[in-house]
Amino acid sequence: MNFKNDFDVFVGGKSGFFKGIKIGQKECVQKNLRSFVSIGYNNEITTASWGDDEEREILIAYGTKETRSVSIYDTEDMSFTSTFTCDVGQGSINGISRYGGAILTAIHSGEIKLWKFNDQDQVILNAGDNLHRMRHSNINKNVIATGGRENGLKLFDLEKQKQIFSEKNVPHDFLNLRVPIWLSDIAFLRGSHKVVTVSKFGHVRLYDSNAQRRPIINIEIKDEPLTAVTVPCKEMQVMIGSGKGMMKLIDLRKPGKILHTYKGLIGSITGLASSEVGPYVVSTSLDRYLRVHHIDTREMIKKVYLTSKLTCLILRSTFSTETQIDNSEKVLDNYSINNNDNEIMYIENKLEDKDAEYETLFDKMEVITSEYKKTNLCYKRKKCTKSASLIDHPEESKTSVMLEPSNTIVKNKKRNVSAKNRNEYQQTGRLCT
């Protein structure tokens, strides 16, 4: 069986798990590709990418603190072929790719190192502190793009080991204040040297290094911290995701505009990937769901629950729901050889708005009308008044004794005293005290 027919999507999570998902027309199959025994503390998967153009090898980066490591997973052999420790810089690995026969990693502190597994390993570049993303060009393997918090977009030539482009920030705003920079994701347009960036401050910008340093397209989406971007199969269009669960399709042709908004997402979007052969986009978010949307119809086609918070995702470029065949039995036979300690889970595709269980539950509920509400409230008030009177005056309620108000007693007492004084004065000539 061809290794490309096994799994369509590979995801990583905060707890360190690595799963493969086969999306079928009727049901989805998910498989833990990493043994739970090998997952330890501080094993969060921070980033992952394809290691070759044939999409056979996957590069995975682990760890967020002092100990960081890189693993290589072979999708044909269905096993991890090698693992090594990344002991350079500080912070997590926020970018990983294959360059020639070596592995390129980008650390949060800015160090970009080429791992050749010999004495020639060296830090070849420094992209600046607070580096959040590194991406490789799809037409020129010698060019990479980097960016982060107060670390603008930069392009580097790996062969010459020098910086070839640095962005210039946009002019000050209407209050004459500097516009902050916080790049969260970067993408190269298909078959082009143009670069798209998204920012935690809601900026979508398109750069042309051959034209100018400032962005040629600048779109601002207010109150939306953008976290992910991917380039679909359509020309001059990108799909963006935010930390509030918003996903939009952006047209980068001048002057730039929002084409569509997609529904059904909850939680911060952590990963976006699009197919090269069909109008499909796959997303992962912190609500632990993987979703597949149709770009043109804006319909959510698939929704898979993956039991853990997701941090990254990898999609095969030839993914298409129209050509999917439910070959879950073949996937089971293929993976039962090397992964006996893990279980394959079959998940039926149920969309949130078409969930039969919820529909049945809501149909059984009693409908509350305004008349029912009024009568019910009146009954409750009478019941509460009766119970309160029994609690406050239990003896009086049983014997039905009516007590006179205190002011009435005082008046009667004064009247009796005045009558007594009158009688005493008539007899003795003195007033009674």
Side-chain angles (χ1 to χ4, degrees):
M1 182 179 178
N2 188 0
F3 65 92
K4 290 189 176 182
N5 296 329
D6 288 341
F7 292 119
D8 306 309
V9 188
F10 299 88
V11 297
K14 280 185 173 292
S15 59
F17 77 88
F18 185 67
K19 287 187 177 183
I21 299 100
K22 178 66 178 178
I23 300 177
Q25 294 180 352
K26 295 183 180 179
E27 62 181 7
C28 298
V29 181
Q30 60 172 292
K31 170 71 176 179
N32 285 315
L33 304 179
R34 190 182 181 197
S35 175
F36 290 110
V37 179
S38 62
I39 300 176
Y41 174 71
N42 189 34
N43 266 358
E44 175 184 344
I45 298 180
T46 56
T47 185
S49 68
W50 293 111
D52 55 353
D53 296 334
E54 286 137 11
E55 298 178 350
R56 172 180 172 175
E57 183 181 74
I58 301 177
L59 308 177
I60 309 167
Y62 302 93
T64 57
K65 297 182 180 179
E66 296 180 357
T67 305
R68 302 173 304 274
S69 59
V70 174
S71 296
I72 303 174
Y73 181 80
D74 195 318
T75 59
E76 185 174 8
D77 296 336
M78 297 171 288
S79 62
F80 288 90
T81 57
S82 63
T83 301
F84 64 91
T85 303
C86 180
D87 55 357
V88 62
Q90 296 179 352
S92 60
I93 303 174
N94 293 332
I96 186 170
S97 63
R98 174 77 77 172
Y99 179 64
I103 295 177
L104 192 69
T105 58
I107 314 300
H108 180 79
S109 56
E111 290 83 359
I112 299 176
K113 185 172 182 179
L114 198 61
W115 302 86
K116 298 180 180 179
F117 307 104
N118 52 32
D119 297 336
Q120 298 179 0
D121 292 348
Q122 60 178 345
V123 177
I124 59 175
L125 295 169
N126 194 312
D129 199 9
N130 294 325
L131 188 146
H132 282 248
R133 192 67 67 211
M134 181 200 74
R135 296 294 186 192
H136 226 119
S137 173
N138 49 20
I139 60 172
N140 187 357
K141 294 301 181 181
N142 293 326
V143 177
I144 60 170
T146 63
R149 184 174 184 179
E150 294 304 331
N151 188 348
L153 175 66
K154 299 183 182 70
L155 300 180
F156 293 93
D157 192 320
L158 298 177
E159 186 177 8
K160 299 178 181 178
Q161 297 187 11
K162 70 175 184 179
Q163 178 179 313
I164 58 176
F165 175 80
S166 177
E167 75 154 296
K168 186 178 181 180
N169 198 6
V170 296
H172 292 187
D173 60 12
F174 68 99
L175 294 175
N176 200 25
L177 297 176
R178 176 183 174 274
V179 179
I181 298 174
W182 192 343
L183 301 186
S184 55
D185 203 0
I186 304 171
F188 283 87
L189 295 184
R190 297 187 189 276
S192 174
H193 61 276
K194 296 179 181 179
V195 185
V196 182
T197 64
V198 292
S199 166
K200 291 280 182 78
F201 296 107
H203 301 131
V204 182
R205 293 171 179 171
L206 176 64
Y207 292 88
D208 188 351
S209 58
N210 296 336
Q212 61 185 31
R213 292 179 60 192
R214 278 179 172 162
I216 58 177
I217 296 292
N218 183 23
I219 303 172
E220 182 179 0
I221 304 175
K222 294 184 178 180
D223 301 328
E224 287 291 347
L226 304 180
T227 56
V229 61
T230 184
V231 182
C233 58
K234 302 200 173 185
E235 184 180 1
M236 294 296 291
Q237 292 181 4
V238 293
M239 189 75 68
I240 61 171
S242 77
K244 296 182 179 180
M246 178 274 301
M247 190 169 70
K248 295 179 181 290
L249 181 65
I250 306 292
D251 189 352
L252 296 177
R253 286 184 284 262
K254 288 186 178 181
K257 62 180 180 180
I258 299 173
L259 297 179
H260 300 308
T261 300
Y262 298 83
K263 298 181 180 180
L265 292 98
I266 303 173
S268 176
I269 296 177
T270 58
L272 284 175
S274 55
S275 173
E276 294 182 1
V277 298
Y280 305 102
V281 60
V282 182
S283 63
T284 56
S285 56
L286 290 181
D287 66 346
R288 310 182 186 192
Y289 276 96
L290 180 141
R291 297 175 175 86
V292 182
H293 282 81
H294 195 285
I295 297 177
D296 296 333
T297 62
R298 292 178 286 177
E299 179 186 1
M300 185 169 62
I301 305 172
K302 305 290 181 183
K303 180 179 176 182
V304 185
Y305 183 70
L306 298 176
T307 70
S308 183
K309 293 182 179 180
L310 309 174
T311 57
C312 62
L313 105 122
I314 305 171
L315 177 69
R316 293 199 181 275
S317 59
T318 57
F319 169 76
S320 176
T321 58
E322 297 176 357
T323 58
Q324 294 301 313
I325 301 174
D326 292 311
N327 54 355
S328 56
E329 295 182 359
K330 295 182 180 180
V331 174
L332 175 61
D333 294 338
N334 237 5
Y335 278 81
S336 60
I337 301 173
N338 297 332
N339 297 280
N340 294 325
D341 55 339
N342 297 324
E343 295 182 356
I344 287 185
M345 299 178 62
Y346 298 87
I347 301 176
E348 187 178 354
N349 294 309
K350 291 183 179 180
L351 299 185
E352 192 171 2
D353 56 345
K354 297 180 181 180
D355 196 339
E357 183 179 355
Y358 282 102
E359 292 295 334
T360 306
L361 178 64
F362 288 126
D363 290 340
K364 291 181 179 179
M365 288 185 176
E366 184 181 358
V367 180
I368 299 176
T369 60
S370 59
E371 295 179 359
Y372 171 81
K373 200 170 184 180
K374 289 180 180 179
T375 55
N376 196 22
L377 284 174
C378 294
Y379 173 74
K380 285 184 178 179
R381 286 173 184 170
K382 290 180 180 178
K383 190 174 182 181
C384 292
T385 306
K386 186 177 180 181
S387 60
S389 61
L390 289 174
I391 293 171
D392 294 339
H393 309 286
E395 297 179 357
E396 297 166 0
S397 61
K398 291 179 182 179
T399 58
S400 300
V401 177
M402 298 296 293
L403 297 177
E404 293 183 351
S406 59
N407 55 357
T408 306
I409 297 173
V410 172
K411 287 181 180 179
N412 293 336
K413 187 176 180 181
K414 287 182 178 180
R415 192 177 301 150
N416 294 334
V417 171
S418 60
K420 188 177 180 181
N421 287 338
R422 193 182 304 113
N423 296 333
E424 185 71 20
Y425 180 76
Q426 290 177 356
Q427 294 176 6
T428 61
R430 296 179 181 179
L431 292 175
C432 180
T433 58

